[in-house]
Amino acid sequence: MTDKQFDAVSGMDVPRFAGVATFMRLPQKSIDQANDVDIGLIGIPWDGGTTNRPGPRHGPRQMRDQSSMIRRVHHLTGESPFDRARIADLGDCPVNPIDVMDALTRIEKHYVHILDKNILPLSAGGDHLCSLPVLRALAKKHGPMGMVHFDAHSDLWDSYFGGFKYTHGTPFARAIEEGLLDPARVVQIGLRGSVYDMEDRDFGKKHNVRMISIEEFDELGVDQTMAVARQLVGDVKTYISFDIDCPDPAYAPGTGTPEVGGFTNREALYMLRKLRGLNIVGADVVEVSPPFDPSGYTALNAVTMMFELLCVMAENLNAND
Ligand code: MN
Ligand code: MN
């Protein structure tokens, strides 16, 4: 299926450094104009859940800029997601930079609107708390979901600073408590670094979340790790969340909470390719903080991950037709 209306602008026609930046040089559409869109790329320019180094509110803009480096065809499959699906840049989600609870409400409402149009969302954060309102919107449509979560952190903490429950360290504890995720179908890959205490790991164990530390990943390797993940989520509706701090900070210094000793980019790309065929209902790549990496390399890393996700999502869409 090719619909020229939805094709990415080729670097052969307009040089990559020219033109207004949209995600992967795709057409930009408002949600009201998006009746025929299969997959929507959405920016969430918000970092009100950040507990340490801020900046992911600037993520979507730099990711759009760096995504002009993405070409249309995957070099291994020889195929383009832009031939398989109608994909558009749906712009940025409405947010409130000074009110956490209002921001969560606005983001959820926006995604309900997107899902009403049967658009599969692939989001660019924003800090990791952005995933919570997206999951709230998705759960209204799909019920409790599975999740494959790539991160140095579990994001299963209860609260920060005397009981505040909504930060980028707590989204998946809330999502499990609210019944948005089926915790027995949640797998976290890449956990590492020092922790405040074992509270998040205890929460995960109590709810049967499968937590794969970077050390266990080293033992299993890419193929076996992803076999474990695939078996765990099976064919249930599954969300994919990719925190850019899961690759080593050598590859992604521009993030709020870097932890040394992470994946190489190559391992991360290989793992995303192994998501083929899963029942993916949405995905995000979060925590890109441009002020900590003015080179833009972290954002390039993130949009390259988004392209791999897009290839998998577009392929699945066709398979499910
Ligand atoms: Mn995270
Ligand atoms: Mn993290």
Side-chain angles (χ1 to χ4, degrees):
M1 184 214 73
T2 307
D3 184 339
K4 279 287 160 204
Q5 186 202 159
F6 288 99
D7 210 356
V9 175
S10 169
M12 297 292 182
D13 297 328
V14 180
R16 308 204 148 268
F17 49 82
V20 176
T22 60
F23 283 121
M24 301 182 200
R25 313 191 94 206
L26 287 161
Q28 183 175 355
K29 291 189 180 277
S30 70
I31 311 252
D32 290 331
Q33 299 167 325
N35 290 322
D36 42 7
V37 170
D38 299 313
I39 303 175
L41 305 183
I42 305 128
I44 312 179
W46 188 76
D47 56 16
T50 303
T51 53
N52 190 357
R53 312 193 308 175
R57 68 180 61 184
H58 303 293
R61 185 167 283 190
Q62 196 186 46
M63 288 162 82
R64 282 193 176 87
D65 184 9
Q66 291 296 321
S67 75
S68 67
M69 298 292 281
I70 305 291
R71 304 177 188 86
R72 67 190 306 287
V73 173
H74 194 284
H75 77 113
L76 282 179
T77 62
E79 295 193 6
S80 172
F82 312 126
D83 290 334
R84 287 182 168 270
R86 292 165 296 188
I87 307 170
D89 184 333
L90 301 184
D92 280 347
C93 180
V95 294
N96 181 339
I98 52 168
D99 186 322
V100 173
M101 302 316 281
D102 184 52
L104 295 181
T105 304
R106 286 174 194 237
I107 297 168
E108 179 183 346
K109 202 170 146 200
H110 192 68
Y111 277 78
V112 166
H113 197 178
I114 289 168
L115 297 173
D116 280 346
K117 301 247 174 181
N118 280 321
I119 297 169
L120 203 55
L122 172 54
S123 312
D127 74 40
H128 222 153
L129 185 55
C130 293
S131 303
L132 178 63
V134 175
L135 287 170
R136 283 174 175 164
L138 281 164
K140 279 185 180 152
K141 182 170 181 170
H142 299 298
M145 292 159 282
M147 180 170 72
V148 182
H149 172 203
F150 300 92
D151 204 323
H153 313 98
S154 72
D155 297 349
L156 291 174
W157 297 91
D158 178 61
S159 54
Y160 283 64
F161 307 108
F164 191 72
K165 297 213 169 220
Y166 299 94
T167 81
H168 69 161
T170 68
F172 303 121
R174 297 295 87 77
I176 288 169
E177 289 166 357
E178 293 177 23
L180 316 177
L181 293 171
D182 173 357
R185 304 274 195 169
V186 172
V187 56
Q188 307 189 306
I189 304 172
L191 305 184
R192 63 185 187 273
S194 57
V195 286
Y196 295 108
D197 53 38
M198 297 307 278
E199 176 201 283
D200 66 321
R201 304 305 202 269
D202 292 342
F203 181 95
K205 275 184 205 147
K206 184 174 135 203
H207 292 275
N208 288 320
V209 173
R210 181 70 169 91
M211 294 177 284
I212 300 179
S213 67
I214 199 75
E215 290 78 8
E216 187 179 358
F217 167 80
D218 282 338
E219 279 171 32
L220 294 174
V222 166
D223 287 348
Q224 198 50 37
T225 297
M226 292 312 290
V228 168
R230 293 179 66 92
Q231 195 186 21
L232 198 94
V233 298
D235 58 3
V236 303
K237 291 176 173 175
T238 296
Y239 192 72
I240 312 297
S241 195
F242 189 97
D243 186 324
I244 200 63
D245 69 31
C246 79
D248 193 86
Y251 302 93
T255 194
T257 323
E259 306 289 352
V260 303
F263 304 124
T264 64
N265 278 358
R266 219 157 61 218
E267 288 164 336
L269 290 169
Y270 290 173
M271 284 194 280
L272 293 181
R273 283 172 202 159
K274 300 272 178 195
L275 298 170
R276 285 173 92 171
L278 295 183
N279 189 356
I280 298 171
V281 293
D284 60 40
V285 177
V286 298
E287 296 283 356
V288 173
S289 180
F292 289 96
D293 183 7
S295 80
Y297 181 66
T298 304
L300 174 62
N301 183 344
V303 295
T304 305
M305 301 300 160
M306 280 179 80
F307 183 71
E308 291 290 339
L309 284 166
L310 202 53
C311 290
V312 168
M313 290 164 81
E315 189 181 285
N316 291 355
L317 203 71
N318 283 194
N320 296 336
D321 274 348

